[in-house]
């Protein structure tokens, strides 16, 4: 569905490695042979295609050279061991001119195809002829599609009402040249398999943990970008991700998942095996507690969102609504379309997006990059300053009033870049201690005549809908929730079975205060341009009113027979 | 070019066989795990008021494959893969009329077959754990499908009566 844009931040994708057999990061001088081949083929095509009756005015080639290793173990045994190496290019051709080109949104036709790039497999070696051949064919195909699309665009512009926001289709940017080091890794697979067996083994002790695994993914991506405006960029990154997951079931059939993820770009930032096993053990304890935890009924009242939960809350309800491409689409909710210069959040809050930030404290941030996927230099963007909306996250598709990209055009390799989030950070000038925040929560509950408020301690992810076709709502999916009673002598009570829901504008208006300790959520955000790595960091938030609804629940009962090992022991 | 080597361990066991002791010596952990879980399931896997399985079949395929593709003198793809998959079939009813051969369009009742990925390590406990869960899923499906099949055949028998004159 084109207009029901669901964008999800999945917790499922972060990572680590431990000391000892940590992946070794190798940085080499840039290998520019691939870039030279790309440039010469690009120029050859561009010189001809710009002379055509419907001329191409822009071509870009991006080559990704990727290698990945993925190891998975569960209950003490290795499940899979996959290794892959591939190289491919994406080709973008624009026909028309900067003001009106083939990517212009088609109005009133829900089936209209969005702009596309061609993705083509390339040899893994620098063999010039087969690479040029693949690029030439992909360029020709993309050019023909773009010419056809431009005809449809021109007809649509003539046939529909005058547009509210006649911003140009493509921004003019200064050409960039950057040659970073290419990256590769070497991994002691045997040692890592042994480590994953040991970290995954404890879960076998709990017969009620039905699914569990520990996985390590190490990916290197060397990216070569060039376009007809003269930009040439080479970057290399390695991402190591370790992920522990375990799922149990309550007696009523409700699945209770917990996830723990670690991310690092080099061995020094990763927890050791002892830490990983300790984390696995504490997940097991929490799963056992969750199985016994009572259900919460749908409720509206005050709540505290922990730093991680608040980060995802902001990513979903705020971040996706300041992506500029949504302001261009007439089917989009455009929550903030005309609110620049106006207050959109409480005055004690600022929101920045900073892809140049590698780390926050000791934690590496997944949303770090130097150049975006349109070859624009990354920069820190203050979107909200003391409650006032200043700008949007802009890619090279301008919106009214913002004619230049601010380095947020991003895509999963193979998709068309659009404006997406990077490292989101919520900054507050009204922070109070954790104790004080809990007191304020109790006070707010008393004022509303509620016996308790909720504390959302951890979350697995969330999603939102920014289209007009259905409710402009968000869901945040918590997996650890406590009831905080107004009577301070009552201990917080672990509960289960609810999701946090709401609508954006009313949710922002109800943020009352923030805590002090900033926490970070690293994850992969999925939307129209594929999955991109992002982070969201925030202090805990006190919200005077949230609503929770019942979680979707499996009707499958737990297994009939007990787990095999239990039988043997008895 | 594509080469595939697959070794399949196939274990089927009827009610009568389940009673006779199976040889233990020199069995691989895969076969031991299959046999032990099958014996236990045949004996104990039962939902209250529902028929017990009369037939269980396990198949584990250990598959290694590698593929290389070249185009115009350049290697464009080079993939190798190793996996072990488990397929479990559970039947309830009897040889005359059972839970198989009945197609329903209901979600989650896609035949009484369950599949899973099992560890590449010859790890008895971890493999048996996957077999346990897949057998449970397959049995629950079989019971559900069997009830629907019985209901459908009751109606069909009545509707298909050809009047004799």
């Amino acid at each position: 569905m084109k207009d029901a844009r669901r964008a999800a931040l999945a917790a499922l994708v972060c990572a680590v490695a431990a000391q000892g057999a940590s992946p070794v990061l190798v940085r080499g001088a840039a290998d520019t042979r691939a870039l030279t081949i790309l440039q010469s083929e690009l120029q050859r095509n561009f010189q001809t295609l710009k002379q055509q009756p419907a001329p191409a005015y822009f071509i870009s080639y991006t080559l990704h050279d990727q290698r990945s290793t993925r190891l998975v173990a569960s209950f003490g045994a290795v499940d899979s061991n996959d290794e892959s190496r591939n190289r491919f290019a994406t080709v973008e051709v624009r026909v028309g001119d900067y003001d009106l080109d083939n990517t212009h949104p088609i109005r009133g036709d829900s089936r209209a195809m969005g702009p596309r790039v061609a993705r083509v497999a390339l040899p893994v070696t620098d063999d010039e002829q087969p690479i040029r051949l693949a690029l030439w064919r992909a360029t020709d195909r993309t050019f023909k599609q773009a010419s056809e699309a431009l005809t449809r665009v021109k007809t649509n512009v003539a046939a529909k009402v005058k547009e509210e926001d006649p911003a140009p289709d493509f921004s003019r940017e200064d050409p960039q040249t950057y040659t970073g080091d290419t990256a590769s890794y070497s991994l002691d697979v045997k040692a890592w398999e042994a480590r994953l067996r040991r970290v995954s083994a404890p879960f076998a002790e709990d017969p009620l943990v039905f699914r569990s695994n520990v996985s390590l993914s190490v990916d290197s991506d060397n990216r070569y970008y060039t376009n007809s405006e003269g930009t040439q960029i080479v970057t290399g990154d390695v991402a190591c991700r370790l992920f522990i997951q375990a799922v149990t079931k309550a007696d009523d059939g409700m699945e209770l998942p917990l996830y723990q993820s670690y991310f690092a770009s080099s061995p020094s930032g990763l927890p050791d095996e002892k830490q990983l096993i300790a984390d696995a053990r504490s997940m097991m304890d929490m799963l056992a507690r969750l199985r016994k935890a009572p259900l919460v009924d749908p409720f509206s009242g005050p709540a505290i969102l922990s730093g991680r939960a608040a980060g995802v809350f902001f990513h979903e309800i705020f971040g996706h609504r300041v992506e500029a491409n949504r302001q261009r689409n007439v089917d989009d909710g455009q929550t903030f379309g005309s609110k620049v210069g106006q207050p959109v959040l409480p005055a004690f809050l600022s929101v920045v997006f900073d892809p140049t930030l590698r780390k926050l404290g000791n934690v590496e941030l997944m949303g770090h990059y130097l150049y975006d996927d349109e070859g624009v230099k990354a920069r820190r963007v203050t979107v909200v300053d003391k409650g006032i909306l200043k700008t949007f996250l802009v890619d090279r598709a301008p919106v009214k009033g913002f004619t230049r990209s601010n380095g947020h055009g991003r895509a999963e390799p193979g998709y068309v870049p659009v404006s997406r989030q990077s490292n989101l950070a919520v900054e507050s000038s009204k922070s109070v201690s954790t104790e004080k925040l809990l007191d304020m929560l109790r006070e707010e509950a008393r004022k509303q005549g509620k016996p308790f408020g909720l504390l959302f301690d951890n979350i697995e992810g969330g999603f939102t809908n920014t289209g007009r076709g259905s409710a402009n709502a968000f869901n945040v999916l918590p997996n650890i929730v406590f009831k905080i009673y107004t009577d301070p002598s009552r201990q917080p009570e672990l509960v289960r079975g609810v999701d946090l829901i709401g609508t954006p504008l009313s949710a922002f208006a109800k943020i009352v205060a923030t805590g002090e300790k900033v926490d970070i959520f690293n994850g992969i955000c999925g939307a129209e341009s594929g999955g991109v790595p992002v982070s969201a960091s925030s202090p805990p938030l006190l919200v005077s009113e949230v609503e929770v609804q019942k979680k979707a629940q499996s009707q499958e009962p737990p297994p009939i027979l007990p787990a095999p090992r239990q039988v043997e022991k008895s | 070019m594509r080469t595939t080597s697959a070794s399949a361990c196939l274990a089927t066991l009827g009610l009568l066989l389940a009673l006779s002791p199976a040889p233990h010596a020199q069995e691989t952990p895969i076969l031991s795990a299959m046999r032990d879980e099958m014996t236990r399931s045949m004996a104990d896997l039962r939902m209250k008021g529902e028929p017990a399985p009369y037939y269980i079949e396990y198949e584990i395929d250990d598959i290694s494959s590698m593929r290389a593709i070249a185009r115009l003198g350049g290697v464009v793809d080079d993939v190798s893969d190793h996996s072990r998959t488990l397929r479990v079939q559970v039947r309830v009813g009897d040889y005359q009329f059972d839970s198989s051969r009945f197609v329903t369009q209901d979600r989650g009742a896609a035949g009484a077959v369950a599949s899973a990925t099992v560890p590449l390590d010859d790890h008895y406990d971890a493999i048996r754990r996957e077999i346990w869960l897949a057998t449970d899923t397959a049995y629950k499906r079989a019971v559900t499908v069997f009830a629907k099949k019985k209901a459908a055949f009751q109606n069909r028998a009545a509707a298909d009566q050809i009047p004799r004159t």
Side-chain angles (χ1 to χ4, degrees):
Chain A
M1 271 192 353
K2 195 165 176 244
D3 57 350
R5 293 174 165 193
R6 256 165 74 115
L9 180 68
L12 301 176
V13 208
C14 311
V16 184
Q19 285 167 3
S22 297
V24 179
L25 182 65
V26 183
R27 289 212 165 266
D31 174 2
T32 52
R33 259 176 309 170
L35 192 65
T36 312
I37 300 170
L38 291 186
Q39 280 168 341
S40 71
E41 189 57 26
L42 187 145
Q43 280 310 322
R44 191 177 78 90
N45 280 279
F46 189 57
Q47 294 314 320
T48 307
L49 296 181
K50 73 179 184 188
Q51 320 270 343
Q52 299 300 304
Y57 75 97
F58 176 87
I59 298 179
S60 74
Y61 289 167
T62 312
L63 183 153
H64 288 275
D65 190 333
Q66 298 179 324
R67 196 186 137 213
S68 74
T69 306
R70 185 175 150 80
L71 308 174
V72 184
S74 59
F75 302 112
V78 170
D79 268 355
S80 68
N81 168 351
D82 298 312
E83 179 106 19
S84 75
R85 164 88 205 273
N86 66 76
R87 243 184 180 196
F88 60 92
T90 58
V91 172
E92 185 183 13
V93 179
R94 285 175 177 255
V95 174
D97 57 43
Y98 285 86
D99 288 331
L100 186 75
D101 72 19
N102 57 295
T103 67
H104 194 82
I106 302 267
R107 289 171 295 154
D109 181 359
S110 59
R111 290 164 306 157
M113 293 279 282
R116 284 179 294 178
V117 292
R119 178 182 159 142
V120 58
L122 295 182
V124 289
T125 48
D126 287 328
D127 288 314
E128 184 167 352
Q129 258 337 89
I131 292 179
R132 290 182 78 128
L133 182 103
L135 291 170
W136 160 65
R137 290 190 56 200
T139 310
D140 185 68
R141 195 167 67 237
T142 315
F143 169 71
K144 286 169 182 163
Q145 283 166 355
S147 310
E148 278 180 40
L150 182 64
T151 309
R152 284 195 293 272
V153 163
K154 285 184 168 165
T155 313
N156 189 263
V157 168
K160 297 288 171 184
V161 292
K162 198 167 176 305
E163 285 173 80
E164 263 179 60
D165 179 12
D169 283 334
F170 203 43
S171 68
R172 291 169 198 273
E173 305 290 343
D174 303 325
Q176 303 284 330
T177 305
Y178 176 81
T179 309
D181 293 337
T182 51
S184 63
Y185 63 88
S186 65
L187 190 72
D188 184 343
V189 172
K190 287 282 161 259
W192 266 102
E193 285 184 341
R195 171 167 297 126
L196 296 188
R197 280 188 195 103
R198 291 191 292 269
V199 176
S200 66
F203 292 103
E205 293 166 18
D206 184 344
L208 297 175
V209 171
F210 300 118
R211 283 201 310 275
S212 166
N213 66 48
V214 179
S215 64
L216 171 79
S217 316
V218 184
D219 298 273
S220 65
D221 180 20
N222 289 310
R223 182 182 59 159
Y224 302 81
Y225 175 92
T226 183
N227 68 25
S228 53
E229 296 167 332
T231 292
Q232 302 167 21
I233 286 159
V234 180
T235 56
D237 289 300
V238 173
C240 316
R241 298 168 183 155
L242 195 137
F243 196 63
I244 307 177
Q245 66 166 324
V247 184
T248 190
K249 243 180 200 291
D251 288 340
D252 58 16
M254 179 174 286
E255 292 216 336
L256 300 164
L258 284 182
Y259 308 95
Q260 182 82 41
S261 64
Y262 314 85
F263 164 77
S265 60
S266 70
S268 55
L270 308 170
D272 59 16
E273 184 176 327
K274 209 172 133 200
Q275 179 66 52
L276 293 173
I277 291 175
D279 288 354
R281 293 246 170 235
S282 66
M283 283 171 75
M284 289 173 65
D285 292 344
M286 183 49 87
L287 286 171
R289 289 177 64 194
L290 278 170
R291 272 200 297 269
K292 297 201 185 78
L295 291 164
V296 205
D297 275 329
F299 163 87
S300 90
I304 293 174
L305 278 69
S306 72
R308 280 166 58 81
V312 173
F313 178 78
F314 261 90
H315 172 95
E316 297 301 343
I317 68 173
F318 183 78
H320 281 299
R321 291 178 172 80
V322 294
E323 293 164 340
N325 64 304
R326 299 185 197 289
Q327 321 307 322
R328 281 171 68 86
N329 186 325
V330 291
D331 295 327
D332 198 273
Q334 299 177 339
T335 313
F336 299 121
S338 55
K339 293 219 163 42
V340 176
Q342 295 178 28
V344 293
L345 288 177
F348 59 87
L349 289 178
S350 297
V351 180
V352 301
F353 288 86
D354 192 353
T356 66
L357 214 57
R358 276 179 198 279
K359 271 183 155 187
L360 195 65
N362 289 326
V363 182
E364 291 192 70
L365 302 178
M366 283 178 66
H368 164 70
Y369 54 90
L370 295 173
Y371 287 85
D372 74 5
D373 295 305
E374 295 179 308
V376 177
K377 198 168 169 49
R379 72 206 67 176
R380 178 186 159 98
V381 178
T382 302
V383 171
V384 173
D385 188 23
K386 299 186 181 71
I388 309 287
L389 183 68
K390 294 290 178 189
T391 184
F392 297 109
L393 298 176
V394 194
D395 57 347
R396 288 194 67 180
V399 285
K400 200 157 75 178
F402 301 93
T403 54
R404 299 288 291 267
S405 167
N406 54 26
H408 280 85
R410 304 187 65 198
E412 179 180 338
Y415 288 78
V416 181
V418 298
S419 50
R420 299 287 297 273
Q421 301 175 58
S422 54
N423 292 318
L424 180 158
V426 177
E427 297 173 351
S428 170
S429 58
K430 191 178 173 183
S431 293
V432 298
S433 69
T434 307
E435 272 317 302
K436 172 81 176 142
L437 202 65
L438 285 169
D439 284 344
M440 288 171 77
L441 174 74
R442 292 191 186 100
E443 187 52 45
E444 189 62 44
R446 269 182 224 117
K447 215 161 61 186
Q448 296 179 23
K450 312 271 178 186
F452 59 86
L454 293 176
L455 166 63
F456 296 93
D457 198 39
N458 207 345
I459 39 114
E460 53 186 285
F463 56 89
T464 191
N465 175 14
T466 67
R468 295 183 193 186
S470 53
N472 226 265
F474 66 82
N475 283 45
V476 172
L477 312 172
N479 50 15
I480 301 180
V481 183
F482 292 92
K483 270 185 185 173
I484 305 290
Y485 289 96
T486 48
D487 175 0
S489 65
R490 282 187 77 174
Q491 286 298 308
E493 182 186 20
L494 182 69
V495 291
R496 65 185 169 95
V498 286
D499 286 341
L500 178 58
I501 54 164
T503 46
L505 290 174
S506 62
F508 298 135
K510 288 171 183 150
I511 301 171
V512 180
T514 67
E516 282 165 342
K517 191 184 164 290
V518 170
D519 209 347
I520 298 155
F521 187 97
N522 270 319
I524 299 283
C525 167
E528 48 281 72
S529 68
V532 299
V534 298
S535 76
S537 57
S538 171
L541 294 182
L542 172 62
V543 186
S544 63
E545 189 181 23
V546 297
E547 184 165 343
V548 294
Q549 72 178 15
K550 287 191 177 190
K551 259 188 199 305
Q553 186 181 338
S554 159
Q555 295 302 312
E556 292 297 320
I560 298 164
L561 294 176
R565 281 185 82 165
Q566 211 179 24
V567 172
E568 282 167 2
K569 278 178 189 164
S570 62
Chain B
M1 181 184 69
R2 186 183 170 87
T3 63
T4 301
S5 70
S7 57
C9 302
L10 194 68
T12 66
L13 201 59
L15 257 180
L16 290 173
L17 279 177
L19 303 172
S20 59
H24 282 237
Q26 300 189 350
E27 240 179 25
T28 64
I30 293 185
L31 275 174
S32 309
M34 284 171 142
R35 180 178 41 76
D36 293 350
E37 194 54 25
M38 185 177 288
T39 307
R40 185 168 80 118
S41 297
M42 288 301 285
D44 300 331
L45 185 60
R46 195 142 321 172
M47 259 196 283
K48 217 174 174 182
E50 299 292 345
Y54 80 94
Y55 177 91
I56 297 179
E57 178 183 310
Y58 295 149
E59 179 177 342
I60 290 179
D61 287 293
D62 183 313
I63 300 170
S64 301
S65 68
M66 67 86 64
R67 183 183 67 178
I69 297 174
R71 191 179 295 154
L72 295 165
V75 174
V76 294
D77 200 10
D78 182 353
V79 183
S80 65
D81 187 54
H82 184 198
S83 67
R84 274 183 183 167
T85 55
L86 163 71
R87 192 174 155 281
V88 175
Q89 192 189 142
V90 174
R91 291 172 181 239
V92 301
D94 57 37
Y95 285 87
Q96 255 65 48
F97 185 81
D98 72 9
S99 51
S100 67
R101 297 177 180 233
F102 187 69
V103 178
T104 75
Q105 296 190 331
D106 304 3
R107 238 171 49 166
V113 174
S115 52
T117 305
V118 293
L120 297 178
D121 289 341
D122 285 338
H123 189 302
Y124 172 88
D125 287 327
I127 293 171
R128 190 168 166 192
R129 198 180 175 103
E130 294 301 332
I131 298 173
W132 160 56
L133 290 171
T135 310
D136 186 78
T137 306
Y139 172 63
K140 286 171 180 164
R141 283 184 190 162
V143 165
T144 314
V145 172
F146 190 52
K148 284 184 183 145
K149 185 172 165 180
K150 275 198 296 193
F153 273 68
Q154 276 163 10
N155 284 339
R156 192 175 302 175
D160 286 351
Q161 288 283 334
I162 299 169
R164 290 162 193 256
T165 52

